[in-house]
Amino acid sequence: MNHKPVLIAVVLLALLVAPPAAAQAIDQPNNSTATPQSQDNSTAILALDGRTDLVEKSYDRDAGVLTLTFESQRYAPVQLLVIEDTDASTGSASFQTANLNPGERTEVQIEAPPNSRVWISTDLSRENGELHFVKTTEGSALLSGPWSGADVRDAGAASAAGVALMVLYRLVLERSAVNKDGERVA
């Protein structure tokens, strides 16, 4: 009896099972960064400074208008700077200032093309050396990055497993001498 096909099948099966088991054993560092929230407002999307929060964001792609809703505990001017994400070495940006009243929600609309970033600052955030931004578009791709080395490793292991499975299938098909109709060839 020829044990070669059985040995090849066992090796391929071990290759299919080993990468996921090894991936589970490796501890992945947590690279997520949480956006700081102000202490008394848990509904904030983005905390601009200790007393001003961005609480809602919506983008109308057809009109090219970004609507931001702010909540502040003090009178505060908020500056918005729209910069389109392009590969150009020069360009222009649009700028807008809005005044926020304490204890009220203030809605600010600004024209922003798709694939742009809107940089947001208040007087306190600039004193702290901080600028914040929001994107006009979220990644609409089915799979979007950023990817880590672990993701690349897992994709490589999955593709290698697929190739190994097809090789095993072809090997079994050739060795079993079965034709396409499922009948044994004499």
Side-chain angles (χ1 to χ4, degrees):
M1 180 174 188
N2 192 356
H3 294 291
K4 257 185 178 177
V6 174
L7 181 61
I8 290 173
V10 169
V11 169
L12 290 176
L13 186 61
L15 288 174
L16 289 173
V17 173
Q24 291 174 356
I26 299 172
D27 286 336
Q28 298 296 325
N30 186 1
N31 292 333
S32 65
T33 57
T35 303
Q37 305 284 326
S38 60
Q39 290 76 18
D40 59 348
N41 188 359
S42 62
T43 62
I45 296 172
L46 180 67
L48 302 176
D49 56 38
R51 303 180 69 195
T52 308
D53 296 321
L54 173 66
V55 292
E56 289 180 22
K57 169 194 153 192
S58 65
Y59 183 65
D60 183 357
R61 189 174 189 78
D62 297 330
V65 174
L66 179 67
T67 304
L68 302 172
T69 305
F70 297 96
E71 240 179 40
S72 183
Q73 298 172 1
R74 64 184 183 91
Y75 291 104
V78 63
Q79 289 82 27
L80 306 172
L81 176 68
V82 178
I83 300 176
E84 188 173 359
D85 286 341
T86 64
D87 292 335
S89 60
T90 60
S92 61
S94 59
F95 182 78
Q96 181 177 336
T97 300
N99 292 314
L100 306 178
N101 293 320
E104 295 179 10
R105 285 187 171 213
T106 306
E107 190 174 275
V108 179
Q109 293 184 339
I110 189 166
E111 288 185 22
N115 300 324
S116 61
R117 292 180 188 219
V118 178
W119 294 88
I120 306 168
S121 67
T122 64
D123 52 350
L124 286 179
S125 69
R126 283 191 310 277
E127 285 177 14
N128 294 333
E130 295 178 344
L131 280 173
H132 306 278
F133 72 89
V134 293
K135 290 183 178 183
T136 55
T137 56
E138 303 297 329
S140 61
L142 180 61
L143 298 173
S144 62
W147 294 281
S148 67
D151 296 326
V152 174
R153 178 201 62 219
D154 294 344
S159 63
V163 169
L165 186 62
M166 286 309 297
V167 168
L168 180 62
Y169 170 75
R170 291 296 301 167
L171 182 66
V172 169
L173 189 66
E174 294 293 325
R175 294 293 178 180
S176 67
V178 175
N179 71 3
K180 292 183 182 180
D181 297 330
E183 297 176 12
R184 225 166 133 79
V185 178

